[in-house]
Amino acid sequence: MVRMVDVIEKKRNGEVLTKAEIELFVNGYTDGTIPDYQASAILMAVYFKGMNAEEQAHLTMAMVESGEQIDLSAIEGVKVDKHSTGGVGDTTTLILVPLVAACGVPVAKMSGRGLGHTGGTLDKLEAMKGFHIELTKEQFVQQVNDLKLAVIGQSGNLTPADQKIYALRDVTATVDSIPLIASSIMSKKIAAGADAIVLDVKSGDGAFMKTLEDSKALAQAMVAIGNEVGRNTMAIISDMSQPLGNAIGNALEVQEAIETLQGKGPEDLTELCLTLGSQMVVLGGKAESLEEARKMLKEVIQNGKALQLFGDLIEAQGGDRTVIEDPSLLPSAQYQIPVVASQSGYVTKMEADDIGIAAMLLGAGRATKEDKIDLAVGIVLNKKVGDYVEKGETLAILHANSEEVTQSTELLLQHIHIEDELVTPPPLIGEIITK
Ligand code: URA
Ligand code: CA
């Protein structure tokens, strides 16, 4: 019989673990027969010695199999999921769900809530009065079959092994290990029923991975896992050194999503949605090439089909669909307070994480899981990196429910850099990683 101590020793010595050895750890830790100290030791050994693609695939599947798996086989077609590693003002999911559904790809989306300086899709959707994210599995499947799209919160007992291991990693300095992050993220996507996965790996100040090199390594690891376990998977590296789009905050981002679906959205957000959406439409088998897919996406924006589907989604899940014509139905903040430039020059840097924190301090995000958020508040950026600004000109508008906004104002002034020389911003789409 294999003992856990032998598995730890093997990994400590840099050897490759077998499927059975990885399952011994995952299953034993989940059911409580392997104690925290042995689990901590193996995690630290993985941190230092790494895991090859096959080991990561075994780890992923062991975590998938530790709990419930959503069966989407009653939905016709290829179920393509998209995952973003998290950013500031990342409104893409709200836009992509109706956008790719309008091209015929069924979207059965399970989303999460925001934490820290990053926002969550569920919170944004709930900014629309009446919108509810609790559907039974039968309702979820039925709605996707009827309308092509549904968004729900995580329910049931998905990947309990990941939850337990993640909590242990958090207190043993083993979170930032690429094999552990990659298997953690992929296990959740696979348990949620995805046939194919498009990953948006963010890179920069506002992201989990601060450098292009790390983002690329994480993307490659996740793409390798997905393809190893039979899920067509690809990744895009996208810039998160500045916030995406102009709006940061729940209702503000819903409004931005509506504008983007009307073809009037910010350039960077629109471009990222077209890039990710094209990949989803191709993986979903609805277009032969990325060019064809992009044409289809632009068409459903132009002819209003994508926006109408967003309306269908809102209506089906209890909200008022007229918000797509009248965004003034969204909650709005009591005060709109401009933050003005203290000097003239070019905006050279807008540190996304600090701007995210400024929005969180206004009440748009949670510092801890228990915090309540204010759906109306947030920040709308008037300038982005590369823009010229005059002294006294508005950089951003704070949407607040309190007149006391000193902390957020100071954060913005400190982290929006204005200099004499123009800089070239990092490219929005860094690289595309396929198997
Ligand atoms: N997000 C996850 O879901 N898992 C990790 O390990 C890190 C970030
Ligand atoms: Ca945004």
Side-chain angles (χ1 to χ4, degrees):
M1 207 194 101
V2 194
R3 296 179 310 157
M4 190 58 205
V5 62
D6 302 322
V7 180
I8 297 169
E9 184 179 315
K10 207 171 158 187
K11 185 44 76 184
R12 185 204 66 192
N13 294 341
E15 291 171 49
V16 173
L17 301 181
T18 64
K19 179 166 184 271
E21 289 163 343
I22 290 168
E23 285 173 353
L24 174 81
F25 157 56
V26 173
N27 298 340
Y29 188 56
T30 310
D31 70 20
T33 52
I34 287 172
D36 283 349
Y37 48 84
Q38 285 189 311
S40 306
I42 187 89
L43 290 171
M44 192 56 87
V46 169
Y47 180 91
F48 282 115
K49 299 294 179 177
M51 276 184 153
N52 70 21
E54 213 173 309
E55 289 175 291
Q56 293 180 47
H58 294 320
L59 176 57
T60 302
M61 290 315 289
M63 294 198 292
V64 169
E65 284 155 15
S66 71
E68 197 183 330
Q69 294 175 57
I70 308 292
D71 179 7
L72 298 179
S73 58
I75 298 171
E76 228 179 285
V78 183
K79 274 71 73 184
V80 186
D81 202 355
K82 182 223 86 163
H83 179 77
S84 151
T85 58
V88 176
D90 184 1
T91 320
T92 51
T93 298
L94 289 183
I95 300 159
L96 280 170
V97 169
L99 191 56
V100 305
C103 294
V105 179
V107 185
K109 184 86 191 140
M110 232 183 218
S111 276
R113 298 200 178 275
L115 186 62
H117 65 273
T118 62
T121 298
L122 295 184
D123 301 317
K124 296 172 196 177
L125 287 169
E126 283 177 351
M128 290 179 286
K129 197 163 156 264
F131 196 101
H132 62 86
I133 48 92
E134 297 94 15
L135 301 180
T136 65
K137 279 196 201 95
E138 294 70 30
Q139 290 169 325
F140 182 53
V141 166
Q142 186 69 46
Q143 188 179 314
V144 179
N145 274 333
D146 291 346
L147 300 176
K148 285 278 182 230
L149 76 180
V151 184
I152 58 170
Q154 267 229 4
S155 63
N157 184 33
L158 295 195
T159 60
D162 173 63
Q163 288 176 34
K164 215 171 159 192
I165 293 169
Y166 194 86
L168 186 63
R169 286 167 57 206
D170 213 19
V171 292
T172 55
T174 51
V175 168
D176 56 347
S177 149
I178 285 177
L180 297 178
I181 298 170
S183 53
S184 167
I185 293 174
M186 291 301 286
S187 70
K188 283 174 278 211
K189 294 286 112 182
I190 292 165
D195 299 321
I197 301 160
V198 172
L199 299 161
D200 179 13
V201 180
K202 306 288 190 189
S203 176
D205 282 327
F208 205 59
M209 294 285 149
K210 310 285 179 206
T211 69
L212 195 56
E213 202 187 347
D214 285 348
S215 309
K216 206 172 142 181
L218 177 61
Q220 281 165 339
M222 291 194 289
V223 169
I225 291 172
N227 290 301
E228 184 83 28
V229 303
R231 266 69 166 189
N232 214 339
T233 302
M234 57 81 57
I236 283 165
I237 314 275
S238 74
D239 178 50
M240 195 30 84
S241 62
Q242 63 175 331
L244 186 65
N246 302 328
I248 305 150
N250 298 285
L252 294 168
E253 288 187 51
V254 172
Q255 185 172 345
E256 184 171 64
I258 292 168
E259 286 161 9
T260 306
L261 288 167
Q262 290 168 333
K264 299 183 295 197
E267 206 181 312
D268 58 344
L269 180 59
T270 303
E271 178 53 33
L272 184 59
C273 288
L274 291 174
T275 303
L276 291 166
S278 308
Q279 301 283 356
M280 293 175 77
V281 171
V282 170
L283 287 186
K286 299 294 174 187
E288 302 270 311
S289 68
L290 293 172
E291 295 71 40
E292 185 191 348
R294 182 176 276 258
K295 237 177 91 187
M296 289 165 72
L297 294 167
K298 285 185 167 168
E299 199 169 298
V300 294
I301 292 175
Q302 256 147 30
N303 65 20
K305 202 170 156 196
L307 185 66
Q308 286 309 318
L309 258 187
F310 191 46
D312 293 348
L313 172 74
I314 297 166
E315 186 177 342
Q317 296 191 218
D320 176 359
R321 72 174 299 138
T322 55
V323 71
I324 64 174
E325 279 102 41
D326 182 10
S328 74
L329 293 169
L330 290 165
S332 65
Q334 205 177 343
Y335 304 101
Q336 264 112 63
I337 304 164
V339 175
V340 301
S342 46
Q343 67 184 97
S344 301
Y346 292 98
V347 178
T348 56
K349 212 170 170 199
M350 300 185 107
E351 295 174 67
D353 46 357
D354 297 287
I355 295 173
I357 292 166
M360 187 181 83
L361 292 174
L362 294 173
R366 300 179 181 81
T368 72
K369 267 186 199 159
E370 289 72 35
D371 285 354
K372 268 192 75 87
I373 57 175
D374 183 338
L375 296 165
V377 303
I379 298 171
V380 176
L381 301 173
N382 281 30
K383 300 285 175 185
K384 298 286 295 259
V385 171
D387 289 347
Y388 186 79
V389 55
E390 296 279 358
K391 181 177 177 180
E393 208 183 336
T394 302
L395 291 168
I397 294 176
L398 305 179
H399 291 247
N401 274 326
S402 155
E403 278 180 289
E404 174 30 47
V405 293
T406 318
Q407 246 186 321
S408 296
T409 305
E410 277 173 5
L411 269 174
L412 288 192
L413 289 174
Q414 219 176 328
H415 296 284
I416 298 178
H417 300 251
I418 299 170
E419 290 170 272
D420 294 337
E421 299 287 324
L422 181 65
V423 297
T424 319
L428 176 67
I429 314 288
E431 205 159 332
I432 296 188
I433 314 250
T434 58
K435 68 175 164 178

